[in-house]
Every structure is written in structure tokens, then in C-alpha cells.
Amino acid sequence: MLTTGANSGIGLATALAVARHGYRSVGSVRSPEKAEAVARAASQAGVEVQTVLLDVTDADGCAEVIDRVRPWGLVNNAGYGMTGAIEDVDDDEARALFDTMVFAPVRLCRLALPHMRARGEGRIVNVSSLLGVTTAPLVGWYSGAKHALEALTDALRVEVASAGVRVSLVEPGGVRTEIWQDMDGDLERRRDSGFAGAYRRSALGIRLTRPFMADPGGVAEVVVRAMTTRLPRERYLVGIDALATTAATRLTPQPVRDLATRLGLGL
């Protein structure tokens, strides 16, 4: 099984969990230093994880890795966070985000599918987010990328079912990973924005809720379940916050949610 973005967080936890469950585990990383970090983590866990160097935005590199690994299972996890009001994100930032979070995982699916079809079976798990189910101010671009990934995954799931390939989405809420460092960098770059006050409030909320966030290992176990169960579900919401937010979204009128969010962020 190939897991992208395997050097930390959910990706690393998934690569280790796949190996722990007795499967061949291959993780993609972007540098030799990150490959060494995976090797150390695998050694400490008493398992073997192979690594391949891959920038998922490199189409030729993706084709070479898929042809070499020929994965029975593919976990599209690689990505990064982006905090920024719609007005504060320029075209280059938005394109780079969608290149990594939408075009890259779909490309990897497309490349892996011929190998899966040849076997008559295969599994794909696309790691989305609670923000692929709902959205929020200041993370609209990130949420938009996850919404796009979910729509494409839903279409793909039906298109490849007759080939014996099962496709699932895993939608975690808040998880204790390095993705929050991306937020810190974004806020520093946008410190002169007219939304600076809202950014500070958002950052404070994240800091206060970090102790209650899910552990990457718990998300990884859900990913492995989706990859190995006989009848995988279409979607796996992970985390109390994901379940609670989804329920609240269904039950609370949109104007009420909008007003509460504006008051909380000072918008």
C-alpha cells in the first residue's frame, strides 16, 4: 500500500499502521531527510516501511513511482493547511493549493487504476477533512480544495466499482499534527490584513482546542479499516468534533450559524 505525505502526522501514522497490520507499506516523502525520519519511526515501532521520494505535484514523478510500486492500495494524504480570507489569497497561492490537494491525488488515482483493474481489485482512500463536509471563514480556499476532492471521489467511487476497486473518504476533524504550523506561518504573512483581528481569534481558538484534538494514530486506524474491511463505507467521519459539527450543521439554520461565527471571530 502506498501512502503519500508519510513523513509526519496522519501519513506517518498510516504508514506505520499499515505495516503493523502485516501489509507491505510504502510511504512517499519529499526529501532524503524525511525518509530518514520515517525509517527512525518505523524502527522504533518495530515495523518496516519503505519510502519513495516524490513531490506529488510532479506528474512525471507520480507516474514513475506508481509504475514502480504498482500499489494494491493507495492512501492520498499529502497536503498542507492554508489560512486566509478569500481576499487575502492570490492566484498563485490558490493554484498551488489545488495542485497539491486536488489535482495530485486525482492524478495518482488515475495512474494507479490500470494496475488495480489488472488485478481485478484495489482500494483507494482519499484523506479529506471535516472542512470537506462544511466550511468556515478564513479557511475557504482549503475547504474548497477538500470539497473538490470529495466531489471527485464520489464520482470515482461509482465509476470504478465494477472493476473491483473500492474508494472511500476519511474526514477527520481537528488532529494534533504539524499542519497547524502552516497556520502560524500564514498568520505571520497576513499580519497587516484587514482580517488580522479575526485571524488572532481563530488562532486562539485553535490553541485552546488542541488538547482535545484527535491523535493521528486514531485516524490511521480508520484509514487501515477502510483499506482492509470487506465492505468499506463511502465516508468515515473521525473525531468527536467532526461528528458534533456535522450534526450541528444539519440542525442549526444557516443564518444562526453565520451570526455565531461572525460574533466569535469579530467579523
Side-chain angles (χ1 to χ4, degrees):
M1 297 187 193
L2 173 64
T3 302
T4 65
N7 60 283
S8 65
I10 295 172
L12 176 59
T14 297
L16 296 175
V18 166
R20 194 163 50 246
H21 282 266
Y23 297 91
R24 178 194 178 207
S25 180
V26 182
S28 83
V29 295
R30 294 186 63 180
S31 70
E33 294 76 20
K34 291 181 177 180
E36 291 174 4
V38 173
R40 287 193 299 271
S43 177
Q44 292 170 2
V47 298
E48 181 181 356
V49 176
Q50 301 172 28
T51 52
V52 291
L53 296 181
L54 176 65
D55 177 347
V56 295
T57 65
D58 176 2
D60 291 338
C62 288
E64 191 275 328
V65 165
I66 292 294
D67 283 344
R68 178 158 33 115
V69 176
R70 296 174 180 265
W72 173 86
L74 171 64
V75 180
N76 279 308
N77 165 77
Y80 59 92
M82 178 184 285
T83 301
I86 300 302
E87 294 174 79
D88 284 346
V89 176
D90 63 26
D91 288 352
D92 289 340
E93 280 187 281
R95 288 194 187 98
L97 183 75
F98 273 66
D99 200 8
T100 300
M101 308 280 279
V102 182
F103 300 125
V106 176
R107 177 190 304 118
L108 286 164
C109 291
R110 189 172 65 245
L111 292 167
L113 279 165
H115 301 295
M116 296 179 181
R117 287 182 182 276
R119 290 189 185 94
E121 61 176 355
R123 294 291 171 93
I124 295 172
V125 172
N126 287 335
V127 179
S128 181
S129 165
L130 171 61
L131 288 173
V133 181
T134 182
T135 190
L138 310 183
V139 288
W141 284 107
Y142 179 86
S143 185
K146 290 299 189 182
H147 273 68
L149 179 63
E150 296 225 350
L152 289 160
T153 303
D154 282 340
L156 180 67
R157 183 181 66 250
V158 179
E159 291 168 357
V160 301
S162 63
V165 180
R166 301 292 177 257
V167 183
S168 298
L169 283 159
V170 171
E171 302 162 327
V175 183
R176 291 189 297 274
T177 70
E178 295 178 4
I179 197 170
W180 303 112
Q181 295 176 8
D182 297 332
M183 178 183 186
D184 294 338
D186 286 338
L187 297 192
E188 175 61 24
R189 288 188 297 108
R190 307 192 205 285
R191 63 183 182 275
D192 296 327
S193 165
F195 293 94
Y199 290 141
R200 287 193 295 271
R201 290 193 184 200
S202 178
L204 175 60
I206 295 297
R207 285 195 294 272
L208 291 175
T209 58
R210 273 190 187 182
F212 306 100
M213 291 181 180
D215 182 81
V219 181
E221 288 299 324
V222 174
V223 172
V224 173
R225 190 187 317 151
M227 293 289 281
T228 58
T229 188
R230 188 171 67 88
L231 295 173
R233 302 201 319 245
E234 294 84 6
R235 282 174 165 74
Y236 293 83
L237 274 170
V238 186
I240 295 174
D241 58 339
L243 295 168
T245 300
T246 302
T249 298
R250 293 194 187 106
L251 297 173
T252 309
Q254 187 69 58
V256 175
R257 298 203 308 271
D258 287 356
L259 178 60
T261 302
R262 289 181 59 199
L263 291 173
L265 292 174
L267 293 171

